[in-house]
Amino acid sequence: MITETGHFALILALFVALVQSSVPMLGAARRNPGWMDVGRSAALTQFLLIAVAMGALMHAYIVSDFSVINVIENSHSAKPLLYKISGVWGNHEGSMLLWVFMLGLCGAAVAAFGANLPPALRARVLAVQGMIGVGFLLFILFTSNPFLRALPPPPDGHGLNPVLQDPGLAFHPPFLYLGYVGFSVAFSFAVAALIEGRVDAAWARWVRPWSLASWCTLTIGIAMGSWWAYYTLGWGGWWFWDPVENASLMPWIVGTALIHSSIVVEKRDTLKSWTVLLAIITFSLSLVGTFLVRSGVLTSVHAFATDPARGAFILVLLVLAIGGSLTLYAVRAPVLKGGGLFAPISREGALVLNNLLLACGAATVFIGTLYPLFLDAVGGPKISVGFPFFNQTFVPLMVPLLLAVGPGSLLAWKRGDLLGALQRLWAAFGLAILVVLGGFYVTHGGPVLAVLGLGLAAWTFGGAATELAERLRLFRIPAADSLRRAFHLPRAAWGMTFAHMGLAITVAGIAASAFDSETIEVVKPGGEIQLAGYTLHLDGVERGDGPNYMYDDASITISRNGSTVAVVHPQRRFFPLQQQTTAVTAIRTNLLADLYVAIGDPNPAGGWTIRAYYKPLVPWIWLGAVIMAFGGLVSLSDRRWRVGIAARARAAMPQPAPGA
Amino acid sequence: MRKLLYLLPLAAFVGLAGYFAVALLSDRDPHELPSALIDKPAPAFDLPSLLGGANVTSAGLQGQVVVVNFFASWCVPCRLEHPVLMRLANQEKVAMIGIAYKDKPEAAKKQLDDSGNPYRSVGLDLSGRTGIDFGVYGVPETYVIDKTGRIRRKFVGPLSPEAVERELLPLLHRLSQP
Amino acid sequence: MIRVLLVLLLLAPGLARAVEPGERLADPALEARARDISRSLRCLVCQNESIDESNADLARDIRVLLRERLVAGDTDVAARQFLVDRYGDFVLLKPPLEGATLLLWFGPVLVLLVGGVAVGLYLRRRPVAPPPPLTAAERARVAQLLKEPEA
């Protein structure tokens, strides 16, 4: 019964989405306030209905209702509760439902928090959101319905893949999808602006919080996925340039470009058609990623669904959404008037450089991801495009970008003084030199590029710190005055500082992965291995039973210079239902380095394979990502985004650029 | 001119969508890898025979068209393919050499005893080296070798009755022409 | 990422992860070369994973084979070519530069060049015409705004 309610709610949601996509759009065209207002209630209703559907499916999972095919295929009564819940989106159908749930959430958020938007713009934005909703609800109902029943119900389900029985599944997909789908709001704003033929500073202010919020969640989502891979894989890999990962990286890169270029639209009323294009492309890349992952066109051995009907359906959705919006762009974008002029050496110029490099970076990832498929389609040879390609193409593009972060953010609007900016960066330069020299000293001239990468990170960090110090006039006015300035600094400025510092920290973590050391040995209980100055002593291995698995739990005492540092417990788990073994690694971190231990198979002679890794700075990769996302959140709390009324009144008049 | 510039993204997308459509609609399997050894001499091998007697060697195949099939008793898709192979051996009289890939001899023997043996001879590739020489990356895989000892075609995964009718048999027929 | 995990973890039934102690060569220089080469070779049954990282059976077999070739005196190039002869360019994580991959390797450069030229042209643009003079209504509004004290 509850399942049918969910199914019915999903069908109702489709009809509500149909209303949402048509009535407000017509209302905006005819200037009918009543019709326009339908958008808000429809968006809220649609979200509520999808939430009911989501709740119904979750209920079926929690009570292990094995009359639902989706539950049979992906759940088991002996599974712990957390994984019954997160298992809802551990499969194609459920994850698509999560996707539209997030889409509904975004639409409802625009309806609820969009009070400061002009009614016509809001109506059009909600209508476009409704159209996307119609497409994906149709997709779910016709090709991927999670509510289908099986009669008679089997006694138990097939269980969830053991790899997915991890807290990572509970958090990674919701964040990732919220990020992907969140960019649909920027997309809808872009389409609405094209219909209206007007993009101005006020528009940029309305779009910016939405793209910032999506960018933050996508950052967290990608970082979580990477961390999940890191701690599950047993040897500490965290990024593979796999098509599925690239599909999430591309919208992130273009989204990053978008949040930078929309600053230029807001402050200087220029780069308008480019920013609109970025907003369209960011969400389009999310859609293309969905297509690639779920249509089976990629050489992915275990892609979610490889049903050609689904692929064809998503392709039609792609053509309608992307093709439609780009057609609108081709027709309407020439109407958008280019605004303020600026010299190449200026803040705008630096942001244009940022956009150029990010766009090229995204294009590089795109080419690398799709080229094997392209060659195959034209009958060329089969090739693999792996990490060496991306290291040689993507990374060089990011080097100038990182070099430019500091100087770029110190340049003035309109016309900047590059030499002056570089002079003010003397401290950052000194820091970078120190780090490089220190790096060479510690690693005995170790991997040159990695040490230079650390220097680059230091330069970026120093640049962000210098920019902050300049704003606070640190050391030039009394400390108390600087503190007062710090309190009055716009949140957006703080946000930028945090985000750039986070970026620097992530870059340092990535560069330092060249300094990893590893030991792989067969050890008998009582035996020891040495790694990076630590001694790992295998005390013993115990066997036990978990809720739905058996485990071997190794107790390993880590000591340094004779004193015990920690006792860690890596495990290997065997899931009898799926006949699969997984590893639970033990990670000891001090935020400067990770000690990473995993146990493998037992050796017939009574030993165990132990792999231990010492990974300097590796936690910084994710720490930096968290700081980046935090910066985004801080910027999001800037009151500028909320004072809509004043902004609208001012936007109605031609205005000089507000100072930075 | 300037207006054309704004058409560029749409044009790029149309190209991309067309290419997605081609990739989606072609019935090609993205997992399938063409062999790097097509039209090249088949790798030499000299394997102990599962059924006893002389070793199974590549030299022993010279001058005839043969089908070399990599299989294993632990491989589930191989069981799917087995009836097709039996039909090929019994009705079409195709010369088939089996190579038991990384299999326990007893298990492979039991499998053939239980469900029937479609092979003229069966070599034991215990180390998987012959498999690597052939470019095998999973079982079952099937190779067609012509009279001059060159590999002419590779089938990845279980042979389907359709693939046999449409591709394998016509190819064998053509290769058997003097 | 979920799917990556699935692929990476599920292809092999055991827990044999990446290089096993027993596979390694006694000669550290030779072993280092073997590690280097195996990092550049794709695990054929995995996603974008090298045989050095993979736990798949076939990856293990190839790791062992590779080490045997090196011990037998193969150069790095010869050992890599040995596998390319059997599995084609697909086995290389870094696609070779050849006719079919020109667009792959030079595509990013091309995009950067075209983008750079476009940005250059954009930055060189000059105002086509001076901004239109204010209309009477706008002038009145400006006058009014100037009169009002800052709110």
Side-chain angles (χ1 to χ4, degrees):
Chain A
M1 187 57 211
I2 293 180
T3 304
E4 272 65 43
T5 312
H7 195 170
F8 185 63
L10 207 58
I11 297 171
L12 270 185
L14 171 65
F15 285 103
V16 174
L18 277 170
V19 172
Q20 185 186 332
S21 59
S22 49
V23 176
M25 193 63 100
L26 286 173
R30 298 183 173 187
R31 304 187 181 283
N32 180 328
W35 288 23
M36 285 197 268
D37 239 21
V38 169
R40 299 178 75 181
S41 33
L44 292 168
T45 317
Q46 191 204 342
F47 173 61
L48 216 68
L49 287 166
I50 297 173
V52 168
M54 191 80 198
L57 187 62
M58 216 173 256
H59 174 263
Y61 267 83
I62 291 172
V63 302
S64 294
D65 178 356
F66 292 121
S67 65
V68 179
I69 296 177
N70 195 253
V71 181
I72 302 172
E73 285 175 350
N74 302 293
S75 195
H76 188 273
S77 52
K79 204 167 60 169
L81 182 65
L82 175 66
Y83 305 135
K84 282 184 181 166
I85 297 173
S86 56
V88 170
W89 50 78
N91 59 84
H92 166 73
E93 289 83 359
S95 66
M96 282 318 295
L97 188 60
L98 180 68
W99 171 283
V100 296
F101 175 79
M102 294 301 182
L103 189 67
L105 180 67
C106 292
V110 174
F113 303 118
N116 59 353
L117 298 177
L121 180 65
R122 185 178 59 214
R124 288 192 171 110
V125 167
L126 286 174
V128 178
Q129 287 280 317
M131 291 177 195
I132 305 169
V134 169
F136 277 91
L137 285 166
L138 279 173
F139 176 69
I140 292 184
L141 288 168
F142 281 103
T143 73
S144 320
N145 193 330
F147 293 111
L148 298 182
R149 295 276 201 176
L151 281 174
D156 215 325
H158 306 168
L160 178 67
N161 202 317
V163 178
L164 297 182
Q165 299 194 25
D166 183 285
L169 180 65
F171 304 103
H172 162 58
F175 272 98
L176 196 65
Y177 286 7
L178 190 56
Y180 274 153
V181 176
F183 280 115
S184 69
V185 180
F187 173 86
S188 299
F189 266 99
V191 172
L194 285 173
I195 295 174
E196 293 191 349
R198 207 183 69 173
V199 171
D200 51 24
W203 179 86
R205 279 189 189 193
W206 291 317
V207 180
R208 210 174 133 72
W210 298 103
S211 22
L212 259 179
S214 320
W215 181 85
C216 290
T217 42
L218 192 56
T219 306
I220 293 288
I222 295 175
M224 256 193 229
S226 152
W227 189 51
W228 184 8
Y230 170 74
Y231 72 69
T232 340
L233 280 182
W235 54 270
W238 46 268
W239 192 262
F240 304 90
W241 294 106
D242 175 89
V244 176
E245 290 169 321
N246 293 350
S248 66
L249 186 64
M250 288 187 280
W252 186 84
I253 298 173
V254 182
T256 310
L258 172 65
I259 57 182
H260 284 88
S261 79
S262 64
I263 301 174
V264 183
V265 180
E266 189 202 338
K267 302 276 191 203
R268 299 280 297 124
D269 204 34
T270 186
L271 288 189
K272 291 174 187 177
S273 56
W274 170 247
T275 303
V276 166
L277 185 62
L278 281 182
I280 293 175
I281 290 180
T282 307
F283 184 58
S284 299
L285 284 173
S286 301
L287 291 178
V288 167
T290 311
F291 171 76
L292 291 179
V293 173
R294 289 162 200 271
S295 64
V297 297
L298 280 180
T299 320
S300 50
V301 192
H302 281 235
F304 248 146
T306 46
D307 178 350
R310 287 174 182 166
F313 203 116
I314 302 184
L315 187 56
V316 171
L317 285 184
L318 281 193
V319 169
L320 290 178
I322 307 176
S325 56
L326 288 180
T327 308
L328 191 64
Y329 179 81
V331 177
R332 299 287 287 174
V335 179
L336 303 175
K337 287 273 180 295
L341 292 169
F342 53 86
I345 303 291
S346 61
R347 182 78 72 83
E348 297 95 318
L351 288 167
V352 167
L353 179 69
N354 153 302
N355 271 224
L356 172 68
L357 292 171
L358 284 173
C360 288
T364 302
V365 178
F366 191 82
I367 293 172
T369 308
L370 288 176
Y371 202 79
L373 178 62
F374 165 74
L375 262 193
D376 200 29
V378 299
K382 276 267 189 186
I383 57 162
S384 303
V385 179
F387 74 93
F389 171 81
F390 295 100
N391 282 355
Q392 286 180 21
T393 53
F394 182 74
V395 174
L397 277 171
M398 293 303 108
V399 170
L401 183 69
L402 289 165
L403 282 176
V405 168
S409 59
L410 284 175
L411 289 178
W413 295 100
K414 287 187 179 176
R415 180 178 296 277
D417 170 14
L418 186 59
L419 200 63
L422 289 176
Q423 279 168 355
R424 285 183 286 165
L425 283 168
W426 60 269
F429 188 71
L431 180 68
I433 295 292
L434 268 181
V435 166
V436 169
L437 291 179
F440 279 130
Y441 179 74
V442 172
T443 60
H444 310 293
V448 177
L449 287 177
V451 173
L452 291 180
L454 283 182
L456 191 58
W459 165 255
T460 310
F461 192 91
T466 306
E467 197 271 344
L468 180 68
E470 292 266 321
R471 277 179 188 270
L472 303 183
R473 305 181 62 84
L474 210 58
F475 310 127
R476 271 186 273 156
I477 55 172
D481 291 346
S482 280
L483 196 64
R484 197 169 310 120
R485 288 183 76 95
F487 276 114
H488 291 290
L489 210 57
R491 296 272 180 84
W494 278 110
M496 178 187 82
T497 303
F498 279 121
H500 287 171
M501 286 180 167
L503 173 69
I505 291 171
T506 296
V507 169
I510 294 172
S513 47
F515 308 130
D516 290 1
S517 41
E518 68 167 13
T519 312
I520 307 166
E521 298 287 348
V522 175
V523 186
K524 291 188 176 174
E528 285 182 352
I529 48 176
Q530 307 292 330
L531 172 71
Y534 291 91
T535 303
L536 282 70
H537 179 267
L538 180 63
D539 309 328
V541 181
E542 252 176 49
R543 182 154 291 189
D545 288 316
N548 53 349
Y549 56 85
M550 292 169 263
Y551 63 84
D552 290 313
D553 179 287
S555 174
I556 295 174
T557 305
I558 302 173
S559 56
R560 189 179 182 121
N561 303 329
S563 61
T564 300
V565 178
V567 180
V568 295
H569 290 267
Q571 288 186 356
R572 66 197 285 276
R573 291 179 177 171
F574 177 68
F575 291 77
L577 183 66
Q578 293 88 353
Q579 291 286 312
Q580 273 175 19
T581 313
T582 67
V584 180
T585 55
I587 300 169
R588 183 80 193 168
T589 185
N590 60 4
L591 289 185
L592 283 176
D594 275 7
L595 205 56
Y596 183 111
V597 189
I599 61 164
D601 291 326
N603 176 297
W608 296 78
T609 300
I610 306 241
R611 338 180 133 259
Y613 301 82
Y614 181 74
K615 294 173 175 284
L617 296 196
V618 79
W620 286 21
I621 296 173
W622 306 290
L623 185 72
V626 170
I627 295 174
M628 269 191 261
F630 175 73
L633 283 180
V634 170
S635 178
L636 202 54
S637 71
D638 196 303
R639 58 188 292 278
R640 187 154 99 248
W641 317 129
R642 290 192 300 264
V643 271
I645 313 290
R648 205 183 324 149
R650 269 186 282 128
M653 285 296 295
Q655 53 169 347
Chain B
M1 174 58 208
R2 230 185 131 68
K3 287 213 166 158
L4 284 182
L5 216 58
Y6 292 98
L7 265 172
L8 221 58
L10 180 65
F13 173 70
V14 168
L16 185 70
Y19 144 59
F20 279 163
V22 170
L24 193 68
L25 297 178
S26 72
D27 53 356
R28 130 213 109 83
D29 178 358
H31 311 162
E32 194 170 315
L33 283 171
S35 171
L37 294 170
I38 297 289
D39 294 336
K40 300 221 171 86
F45 57 88
D46 185 350
L47 299 170
S49 169
L50 174 71
L51 308 169
N55 274 10
V56 181
T57 64
S58 44
L61 308 177
Q62 287 294 332
Q64 50 179 332
V65 180
V66 273
V67 172
V68 175
N69 177 254
F70 284 83
F71 73 101
S73 64
W74 46 261
C75 141
V76 180
C78 298
R79 285 175 216 160
L80 217 69
E81 176 184 64
H82 188 259
V84 179
L85 297 181
M86 289 304 284
R87 201 184 75 87
L88 270 179
N90 294 334
Q91 287 161 32
E92 311 290 346
K93 308 291 178 212
V94 176
M96 276 198 289
I97 308 295
I99 295 185
Y101 177 73
K102 302 194 79 172
D103 207 355
K104 292 197 183 79
E106 320 82 69
K109 184 128 187 6
K110 183 169 184 310
Q111 169 97 353
L112 294 183
D113 286 348
D114 290 352
S115 49
N117 176 9
Y119 307 110
R120 286 216 181 146
S121 53
V122 180
L124 279 169
D125 181 18
L126 297 170
S127 65
R129 279 305 156 76
T130 304
I132 292 179
D133 282 342
F134 269 83
V136 166
Y137 60 99
V139 275
E141 281 188 15
T142 309
Y143 296 80
V144 178
I145 301 176
D146 68 10
K147 286 178 187 167
T148 62
R150 283 166 195 279
I151 293 182
R152 301 301 291 266
R153 179 79 165 84
K154 171 188 182 182
F155 294 88
V156 176
L159 275 176
S160 64
E162 299 82 57
V164 166
E165 286 307 322
R166 273 202 313 224
E167 296 182 58
L168 181 60
L169 286 177
L171 176 66
L172 290 177
H173 189 73
R174 218 171 53 240
L175 294 178
S176 306
Q177 304 292 332
Chain C
M1 187 56 83
I2 297 177
R3 277 136 268 155
V4 181
L5 284 173
L6 289 181
V7 173
L8 295 180
L9 290 173
L10 297 182
L11 282 162
L15 249 192
R17 274 190 213 300
V19 186
E20 287 291 312
E23 297 168 11
R24 283 178 305 181
L25 300 174
D27 177 353
L30 220 49
E31 173 65 19
R33 275 173 61 201
R35 291 299 293 272
D36 253 14
I37 299 175
S38 55
R39 277 194 198 104
S40 72
L41 295 175
R42 176 185 184 136
C43 158
L44 294 146
V45 292
C46 317
Q47 290 273 46
N48 272 3
E49 204 185 10
S50 75
I51 58 167
D52 189 62
E53 299 154 353
S54 173
N55 50 358
D57 246 12
L58 181 59
R60 199 195 75 89
D61 289 350
I62 294 180
R63 282 198 300 266
V64 173
L65 172 68
L66 178 71
R67 282 168 173 77
E68 283 179 21
R69 306 281 327 167
L70 290 181
V71 169
D74 265 15
T75 61
D76 293 5
V77 175
R80 222 178 256 131
Q81 189 58 38
F82 180 84
L83 284 159
V84 172
D85 286 343
R86 281 153 183 76
Y87 288 97
D89 286 343
F90 187 72
V91 77
L92 300 173
L93 278 173
K94 177 178 165 185
L97 182 59
E98 55 191 24
T101 57
L102 276 182
L103 214 56
L104 172 72
W105 281 105
F106 291 105
V109 184
L110 208 67
V111 172
L112 186 65
L113 277 181
V114 171
V117 168
V119 166
L121 290 178
Y122 174 76
L123 290 179
R124 281 166 50 107
R125 93 211 135 104
R126 295 276 178 271
V128 186
L134 298 182
T135 61
E138 281 168 340
R139 263 200 302 272
R141 175 121 173 87
V142 168
Q144 190 199 348
L145 280 176
L146 286 175
K147 245 187 284 168
E148 276 177 14
E150 284 263 343

